[in-house]
Every structure is written in structure tokens, then in C-alpha cells.
Amino acid sequence: MTLKPLEIYKLLPKKNCKECGDPTCLTFAMKLSGGKAKPEACPYLDENAKTILGASTRPPVRKIRIGVGERAITIGEELVQFRHEKSFFHEPGIFIAVNDTMTAEAIQERVIFVRDGILTRVGTDLRLSGIGIRSLAGSPEPFARAVGAVESVADLPEVLMAGDPAVMEAGLFVCGNYRPLIHAASPSQYREMCRLAKKYGCPLALKADTLDSLAELSGHCTAEGVENLVLDLSSPSLHAMLNASTAVRQHAISRTTPALGYPVCIDTSRGGHADASLITGVTKFGSVLVCDDLPEASRKAVLVLRQNIYTDPQKPIQITPGLYRVGTPGRDAPVLLTVNFSLTFFTLQGYLEASRVPCFMLIVDTEGLSVLTAVASGKLHEALVRDAIAKYGLAGEVSHRTLIIPGYAAPLSGRIEEAIGWKVLVGPRDAADIAEFLEKEWKT
Amino acid sequence: MGLSTLSEWTGRIGELVIGASHAEGGTRSHVVRIGGERDLPYIGTHPSGHKPLVAYELADDPSLWPAAATRYIGDWVHDTADWAAYAEKEYTPDLIRLHLTSTRHRGFSDTSRIGTTIESVLQATRLPLIVEGSDDPAMDSAVYQKIGEAAEGERILLGTAEAGRYRSVAAAAMAYGHSVIAQSPIDINLAKQLNILLRETGLPSDRIAIDPYTGALGYGFEYSYSVMERIRYSALKGDTDLAMPMISSATDSLTVKEVREAQGSEAEKTAVAWELYSMLPATIAGASIVCVRHPLSIAGLKSAIDSLWNGENVEGV
Ligand code: B12
Ligand code: SF4
């Protein structure tokens, strides 16, 4: 709930003294509202204004970074309960766990899998995010060795999972400078864990039996000076987990309980339902998801689910308009028109590849709308097609003058034909029928 | 403090019954109820309403069914009734959803065959039935009339009504005491409009299930997921035109590129993963019935739903 500029203005001293760096209190209020200034810049705020502004200009779910370098991830900073209200912003990190009873070789094998595995979908590379390292042996040396084995092969974000501060410290000694998530502080040892979090500048996960004790614990930790917190809501019961994560998000977004305004961590190995807890975590507000080894099929499915849920509902994934080739098309190869919604592009491209007919794809800019949506909203029209043909030099690429348009664009066929002066062939509606269509209908 | 979820809903999802027991004039030994919720899915110490259910989908003409589904079942697919009985015994779904794919052939006219198929399936299984008829306005009237009649007294869920063709389905449902699936293309306003149209034919609200259409995971699933959340949200806020339980099917999951291209046993696993990773989220978004085509998807989904519903921790998935 961000305050409007005028609501903020009412809380300011109205001295217009410019000490905040702004010409007037009102312009300062506008900056605050847009998140472009910090309340502390005004030296004359009273206590009441400080509390209100401090709380309302901070994102309701705190932003946290885990790891360093290229693969570092950002979580939190979420603003809504449902993705359709705006969007979910920072997708959850999916961490594959190793433990300190495994051999160094076994650990490295898993780490390399996470480091190198890529699933490319609709033009985007999807990857697992990092490594969880569990202390099972219960003593510092094996833990430090396991962390060392991970570090020896990859610079990935890490979650260090040990309840004993002495064990944790041994792990941090190895990788503490790379901003791992410390997992986890509990009511009995949070002071020591806070000390470690401060010493190494790391985010800290918190664990407690109920949401109330979790809120209390987060209060204690901020009082100790640790503000980058993550709330662990793992539970053998999916019901408990989903209810807790929903409650945390509701209390955070509504700012009812700022002590719960932190990202959520879930260890999916806690019940008998690894896949189901991953699914629940991805859909319902998990930000750090730790799982034991993940079978290939589950890995693909969870990466795609995460991509789906974290796609901005207002801004579909797009590809750059242009002339694309499937195979090595000759001058007599067919040209197919389509839109720059990546789902449309990649679906069509898949079927074209399967048809084994080399061809050109002419991609026009419909701002990421699908064929039918673009036709319905007028974003696909003859001038767009004409300009694209000129811009990408299509006439120089092929010897014929025929353009195949999507079946759903049939109502535009006459107008396109007129505008471009080419023959227009209306293709099938469903891309699955494209091979059959090309075989029967394509003659230059 | 007792921190828990914040619920300030005023609406309630309507209840829908599928199947009729002997006492009610049917032959089902198992009758199911869906809907009734007063909060978001699975939320509350004891969630309100009824637990989401899993339907297993099969087809009277298996040649028009995805290979990934029929391959696993094997020879049972050649007799629809045997297929249903076998699936009930081996995989224990909550419902059977029979697709009359035979009606999809050009020039189909053998409606009496449909009647026989439905009767034999009703004899072979005690589970409540969902039946999907034709999708061609030219034959809808004859087909739905036949389905309605053959299943009279069994209170089946009859699909599918769409904005352009809903009268035959609604008429058959009313004449023979069945309920209707109302499908709209991933659009909350169209879903609402269709419910109103159906009610105007005389079909009561408690005999409508909304199908907001489900895009496959990776192929538009996000739109379906959000439209289900929006429908549920609007209903809980008090919009009674959207307060019907929802049904979602992983229709295209077994033909997506990822499943088609997976090799050997990986194909099986990918098919099951794709169904689980779309249908469990569908229940989380608000679907009361989720439908799958791979038999191995059923157990995993059911045990995950149990754990989401009441925290039972059954080893499974
Ligand atoms: C998701 C969606 C949206 C999303 C947009 C997503 C996007 N990136 O386009 C949002 C919510 C933004 C949206 C908005 C609108 N939408 Co809309 N939307 C849909 C929905 C549900 C799915 C579209 C989709 O993603 N399809 C998947 C892609 C891959 O399909 P495709 O691009 O058509 O590609 C396929 C084929 O065309 C073919 N193909 C593609 N290229 C080529 C090329 C050749 C040569 C060939 C042969 C084949 C081929 O292959 C693909 C696979 O088969 C459809 C309903 C439906 N189920 O179809 C409605 C739908 C398209 N929308 C519709 C409408 C009216 C609109 C709006 C105008 C109004 C509204 N209802 O809000 C706005 C316009 C947007 C704007 N900015 O002005 C209508 C269109 C009606 C009509 N028949 O003209 C539909 C059909 C829903 C309905 N009301 O019935 N929409
Ligand atoms: S420093 Fe404070 S009082 Fe002075 S102009 Fe800025 S907002 Fe106003």
C-alpha cells in the first residue's frame, strides 16, 4: 500500500527549506511516493511521520539477494496477492540439496548438473538456481568439506543448512563472502546466528513453530541488526504450508504484520510430496525452494511452471520482429506470416521444423499479441505487413510473390493482398496442420 | 496473537452433485459433491466446502486419443466399458470422464451406438460419470438427446456447452436431470455471460460447472491459472453469476512438444509430470474437478490433494 503524494505531503513539516535536496515539500512528497527518495533525507520529520513513511515506502515484502556474480538471485519485493492484480516480480530460486555425508565426487556431479543444465523455452534459458548444503553429520569439518566441494566447481548461490551455529560458522568460513543464505536461526540460537549473519553480511532464514513465534523471532533479529530475513515455512503437511505462506503474504501486503514482510523459504523434502510442495511453493509465494535430487521430468515441469506463473500478465514474452529462416530456404521457399508473441512463434516454428520444408517466417510486431488477439484488437493490419516486407527486404530473398497468412487472419486476406501486391494464401488455423497444408498447397 | 490467514469473503461457491444412488433412482454406489467453499482453495484449519476431485478421461474411439495415454493402458482401450472398469479398479479415480470421440468423425450418424456405449459404461463402473458429446452444432441435438436419455436418472455431468452452441446440451440436461459443463475461452466475462445464457434456458445454477478452458503448461497455462483465480475471487466477493464450481482438464498436455520429444520411459514420466504440474496448480487456483489422461497421474494428484486438504501426509508423488 503505497501512499499517494498528497497523503505524504500532509505528514511533512511544510517548511520548504530545501534541505532534503528538493525545492519544496510537495516535490519531495512526490519523490517519496514514487520510491525515488528516502524519508531520512528530511531532517525535520516527527516520530509519527517517520514510522508511517518508513513502513509505507519500503516494499511490503523485503528484497533480498542471495549469491554473488552472474548467477546471484533477487527475491522478495512482491506487491500483490494474485498475479492478475499486477504481476509477480522475482521468481523463486530452486535449490538442489547436497549433504555432508556424500562424497565430494557425488556432490560435484550434482553441482555441475545445476551449473550447466539449461532448458530453452520460448527463447528464454531456464535454469535451476543454486545449491542447498545440508549438515547431516552434525559437526563442523564434514560441513566445511561439503561446502568446499561445492565451491570447487561452481559460483552458484547457496543455502547453508545447519542448526548448530558452530557448524554454520565452519561453512561460512569457506563461502561466507559469497552471500549464501544462512539456514536457519531458531528461537534458541538466533543470537549466534545473527552474529554470523552480521559478520559475513549474509541473509538469514528463520524457523519457528508458529507464525506468531516467527513474527516474534523476526523482531528479535531486526533488533540484533539483521534485516535481510527469510521465513522458513516448511512442513510435512502441504495444508499447513499453503496456509502459512498465504497468511504471510496477506499480512505482508496489507502491512498488518510488518514482522512477516519477508520472502518465504520452503524445504520440499519435509513431506512425502516433493513435486507437490514444489508446485505449492512456486504458485503460492515461495521464494527459496530447496529440494533433494530432482528427476528430469520434474525439473522441466517446475522450470516451465515457474516461467508461466512469473510471466507478467500484461506483457507477454516477445521475440524481435524480423525475417527468420527454418532450415536453409531457397529462393522458391514459402514465406509464412506470423506475430511476435513468443508462444505463437515457437509453436509455429516447432511444427515447421517437423514438416521438414525449409521456409521463411516473417514476424511482425503485434506487441506480443497472439494471432487472434492481434486481429481482434487491430494490432495486426495490412500496413504493418507491407512495412515489414519492405524493412526486411523480403522481395530480394525470394523469387515468388506469395505470402501465407495464419488461418485466423483470414478476414484480413483481401486487404493485405491489396496493400502488398502479393498473392495471399490463407493457411490453416492450427499450426499442427501446417505440414499437410504445405505439402498440398505450396507451389510457387 | 494467533496469526492466520485473513478472510473477509462474503460469497460462497454453489454446490453441485454428480451421480445418483439407488435411493435416488440411479445406480451409483458413489455420489460426489463439489463446491461449497467460502474461502480460497484449501484455506482454513478445516477448509470449507468439498475436496477437489480427480477424473480419469477416456474415449470411445481410442484412435482419436493421445498415444501417450493409450500406450500405457494397452488392450483395454478396445472396449470402452472394460477400459472404464479396469481404470476404476487399478487407478481409483473419483470420476470417469467419457469423451465420445466417435462423434468427431465426419458424417457421424450412429447415435444408437452412443446409447449402447453409455449404458455399458454405466454398468461397468460404479463411479459418477462425466460425458463429453459432439462439438458440431449440426449433430449436437441428436447426440445430446441420446446421451441424456441413455444416462437418465444417473445425474451425469454433460459437456460441453459453449457460447455458440449451448441449447442442445442444456435441453438434454434439463429433460433427463443432468448438469452441464460451460466452457468459455479463458475470459472471465465470457464465462459469466455463458452462465447467464444457460440460466435463461431454465437450467438452475446448481447444475452448472464452469470450464474456463485450460491451456497446457508452457502453452498458455498462466492465463488459465489466473482466470480461475479471478473467477474464484469474484465469486467469493459475491458475484453469484460466477459462483459455480470449476472443472479443468489437462487436455493438451500429452501432445505438447516436451512430451512428444521425450524418449523411452522419459516420455511416460514427462506426461505424468505435465499433468501433475498443471492440474495441482489448477486446484490451487480454484478447480473442483481436475481431469487427466495418463493413468499414472491419478495417484500422485489424489495424495497431493489430500495433503493440501487436511495435511494428511500420505507417501506418494
Ligand atoms: C491469452 C489471450 C489474451 C491475452 C493476450 C495474450 C497474447 N499474448 O496475445 C490478453 C489478456 C492480453 C488478451 C487481450 C485481448 N483479447 Co484475448 N485471448 C487470449 C486467448 C485466451 C489465448 C490466445 C493465445 O495465447 N493463443 C495461443 C497462440 C499460440 O495462438 P495463435 O497466436 O493464434 O497461434 C496459433 C495459430 O494461429 C497458428 N498460427 C500462428 N501463426 C501462424 C502463421 C501461419 C502462416 C499459420 C498457417 C498458422 C499460424 O498456430 C498457433 C498454434 O496453433 C484467446 C482465446 C483462445 N483460447 O484462443 C483470447 C482471444 C484471442 N482474445 C480475444 C479478444 C477479443 C481480446 C481483446 C480484444 C479484448 C478482450 N477480451 O480483452 C484484447 C485485445 C488485446 C489488446 N491489447 O488490445 C478474442 C478474439 C475474438 C475473435 N475471434 O476475434 C479471443 C478469441 C477470446 C474471445 N473473446 O473469444 N487476450
Ligand atoms: S527537508 Fe523536509 S521540510 Fe525541508 S523541504 Fe524537504 S521535506 Fe520540506
Side-chain angles (χ1 to χ4, degrees):
Chain A
M1 231 179 294
T2 39
L3 291 177
K4 297 196 178 65
L6 274 180
E7 293 167 324
I8 296 178
Y9 177 70
K10 285 186 192 142
L11 298 166
L12 298 179
K14 304 185 193 65
K15 287 167 174 283
N16 294 330
C17 68
K18 302 185 174 52
E19 285 182 44
C20 55
D22 265 280
T24 65
C25 292
L26 184 61
T27 51
F28 183 61
M30 280 154 70
K31 276 199 183 159
L32 279 180
S33 169
K36 294 194 180 73
K38 291 214 153 62
E40 299 84 63
C42 170
Y44 306 109
L45 288 183
D46 61 31
E47 282 311 311
N48 175 43
K50 271 187 202 159
T51 351
I52 298 178
L53 292 177
S56 69
T57 51
R58 211 186 307 124
V61 180
R62 194 175 173 88
K63 171 179 163 183
I64 309 262
R65 275 177 77 74
I66 304 175
V68 294
E70 212 186 307
R71 296 283 289 265
I73 63 166
T74 301
I75 54 171
E77 222 180 5
E78 299 294 342
L79 298 174
V80 292
Q81 193 79 25
F82 299 99
R83 63 186 287 283
H84 61 79
E85 293 173 297
K86 193 171 178 69
S87 179
F88 289 172
F89 293 100
H90 296 297
E91 60 177 33
I94 300 173
F95 292 77
I96 301 296
V98 298
N99 68 63
D100 61 2
T101 66
M102 291 166 68
T103 64
E105 291 72 34
I107 290 177
Q108 286 162 345
E109 193 186 325
R110 249 187 229 183
V111 174
I112 288 170
F113 174 76
V114 175
R115 184 189 69 188
D116 298 343
I118 293 184
L119 174 65
T120 305
R121 273 202 83 260
V122 291
T124 314
D125 287 342
L126 310 180
R127 321 174 96 158
L128 295 169
S129 315
I131 303 292
I133 306 156
R134 292 183 203 278
S135 155
L136 295 187
S139 58
E141 297 77 25
F143 191 61
R145 229 176 294 132
V147 176
V150 174
E151 286 296 331
S152 69
V153 283
D155 301 329
L156 292 169
E158 289 155 325
V159 182
L160 299 188
M161 308 172 82
D164 176 346
V167 174
M168 183 61 71
E169 182 144 31
L172 286 168
F173 188 75
V174 181
C175 73
N177 293 333
Y178 308 129
R179 208 188 288 128
L181 173 64
I182 300 178
H183 184 284
S186 64
S188 62
Q189 36 75 317
Y190 74 89
R191 283 201 179 80
E192 289 113 292
M193 289 297 195
C194 283
R195 181 180 64 77
L196 293 173
K198 278 193 291 190
K199 178 170 170 191
Y200 289 97
C202 295
L204 176 64
L206 311 182
K207 232 168 150 167
D209 290 337
T210 63
L211 287 184
D212 294 78
S213 32
L214 206 50
E216 197 181 321
L217 183 57
S218 87
H220 291 328
C221 293
T222 46
E224 295 280 327
V226 181
E227 302 210 305
N228 290 329
L229 303 175
V230 173
L231 309 174
D232 185 295
L233 302 180
S234 312
S235 162
S237 148
L238 293 177
H239 176 81
M241 199 176 97
L242 174 64
N243 274 266
S245 67
T246 303
V248 163
R249 179 60 70 87
Q250 288 174 333
H251 282 264
I253 299 292
S254 63
R255 297 182 192 276
T256 318
T257 312
L260 292 179
Y262 302 97
V264 163
C265 164
I266 287 163
D267 182 349
T268 65
S269 70
R270 285 285 305 280
H273 291 97
D275 286 295
S277 16
L278 262 179
I279 290 167
T280 311
V282 168
T283 49
K284 291 294 167 186
F285 322 124
S287 284
V288 172
L289 306 174
V290 183
C291 46
D292 287 332
D293 207 12
L294 204 55
E296 182 69 9
S298 300
R299 179 181 70 96
K300 283 188 189 150
V302 74
L303 289 175
V304 174
L305 179 65
R306 180 178 70 175
Q307 181 188 38
N308 273 185
I309 297 295
Y310 279 79
T311 296
D312 184 342
Q314 267 94 48
K315 234 191 288 148
I317 308 176
Q318 306 182 20
I319 59 150
T320 317
L323 192 63
Y324 289 74
R325 289 171 168 74
V326 181
T328 30
R331 294 182 60 77
D332 58 350
V335 183
L336 298 103
L337 170 79
T338 197
V339 297
N340 78 325
F341 178 30
S342 19
L343 186 55
T344 303
F345 173 83
F346 287 102
T347 307
L348 182 65
Q349 190 196 37
Y351 284 110
L352 286 172
E353 277 168 357
S355 80
R356 298 180 188 286
V357 180
C359 59
F360 292 97
M361 292 169 77
L362 177 66
I363 311 303
V364 295
D365 188 357
T366 54
E367 294 162 33
L369 290 184
S370 75
V371 174
L372 213 46
T373 321
V375 171
S377 65
K379 291 262 159 64
L380 179 60
H381 51 82
E382 61 277 15
L384 189 68
V385 181
R386 184 193 58 212
D387 296 349
I389 289 179
K391 185 165 173 195
Y392 308 124
L394 184 58
E397 297 283 348
V398 292
S399 52
H400 62 84
R401 292 291 177 264
T402 302
L403 180 68
I404 303 175
I405 67 168
Y408 286 123
L412 301 175
S413 61
R415 274 183 281 152
I416 295 179
E417 204 160 67
E418 219 166 276
I420 66 176
W422 291 37
K423 185 179 166 207
V424 166
L425 257 185
V426 177
R429 293 180 157 200
D430 191 339
D433 303 327
I434 199 78
E436 200 188 331
F437 172 84
L438 289 177
E439 193 184 313
K440 281 197 193 136
E441 309 285 335
W442 180 248
K443 300 166 196 85
T444 41
Chain B
M1 279 188 281
L3 293 173
S4 66
T5 51
L6 308 170
S7 303
E8 44 204 43
W9 311 105
T10 52
R12 174 176 184 269
I13 312 297
E15 248 184 339
L16 188 148
V17 185
I18 310 170
S21 65
H22 291 275
E24 295 165 307
T27 60
R28 306 297 86 194
S29 59
H30 174 80
V31 170
V32 300
R33 276 162 221 284
I34 54 172
E37 300 91 340
R38 296 172 175 283
D39 204 329
L40 298 170
Y42 304 115
I43 295 303
T45 316
H46 301 286
S48 53
H50 300 287
K51 189 168 78 172
L53 304 173
V54 179
Y56 173 62
E57 298 190 318
L58 43 80
D60 70 336
D61 180 350
S63 71
L64 296 175
W65 211 236
T70 47
R71 215 185 307 133
Y72 190 82
I73 285 282
D75 284 341
W76 295 101
V77 303
H78 299 305
D79 183 298
T80 317
D82 287 351
W83 185 358
Y86 176 72
E88 174 181 2
K89 189 164 129 282
E90 283 299 305
Y91 304 109
T92 60
D94 299 306
L95 304 111
I96 296 283
R97 187 181 197 186
L98 168 63
H99 288 255
L100 296 171
T101 44
S102 59
T103 63
R104 304 294 157 101
H105 289 288
R106 210 168 282 170
F108 170 86
S109 62
D110 195 359
T111 44
S112 68
R113 190 77 194 273
I114 293 181
T116 329
T117 305
I118 291 180
E119 278 157 22
S120 67
V121 169
L122 281 166
Q123 263 167 31
T125 164
R126 69 187 177 100
L127 295 176
L129 206 57
I130 306 174
V131 178
E132 287 296 323
S134 51
D135 63 354
D136 177 355
M139 64 175 76
D140 278 355
S141 173
V143 169
Y144 286 108
Q145 159 72 22
K146 193 71 203 177
I147 303 173
E149 188 188 352
E152 181 162 18
E154 300 284 2
R155 196 148 55 194
I156 64 169
L157 183 57
L158 189 54
T160 285
E162 296 172 65
R165 38 172 292 279
Y166 61 91
R167 288 182 192 280
S168 309
V169 192
M174 279 190 298
Y176 300 103
H178 305 306
S179 301
V180 167
I181 298 177
Q183 191 189 75
S184 40
I186 327 190
D187 183 313
I188 186 169
N189 298 316
L190 296 177
K192 183 169 166 145
Q193 226 171 64
L194 181 55
N195 290 340
I196 295 172
L197 289 173
L198 281 171
R199 262 211 320 260
E200 281 169 1
T201 68
L203 191 71
S205 294
D206 64 357
R207 279 163 61 190
I208 299 174
I210 301 174
D211 176 0
Y213 186 80
T214 305
L217 182 65
Y219 297 87
F221 179 70
E222 66 272 39
Y223 297 107
S224 305
Y225 178 85
S226 278
V227 88
M228 284 189 267
E229 284 201 330
R230 289 180 63 190
I231 290 174
R232 176 64 168 260
Y233 180 91
S234 305
L236 291 175
K237 286 256 169 189
D239 188 337
T240 51
D241 292 330
L242 287 168
M244 294 81 171
M246 287 183 277
I247 178 169
S248 168
S249 169
T251 312
D252 303 318
S253 293
L254 301 191
T255 52
V256 302
K257 188 167 162 213
E258 285 75 4
V259 174
R260 281 199 322 266
E261 289 179 355
Q263 299 295 316
S265 68
E266 225 18 65
E268 216 78 73
K269 290 177 190 151
T270 313
V272 173
W274 237 255
E275 291 198 319
L276 178 68
Y277 275 79
S278 56
M279 289 298 97
L280 193 62
T283 70
I284 290 173
S288 292
I289 299 179
V290 289
C291 311
V292 293
R293 298 184 175 188
H294 200 295
L296 291 185
S297 301
I298 299 169
L301 259 173
K302 280 182 71 176
S303 84
I305 289 172
D306 280 340
S307 182
L308 276 167
W309 184 254
N310 55 18
E312 247 172 59
N313 182 27
V314 199
E315 288 295 319
V317 187

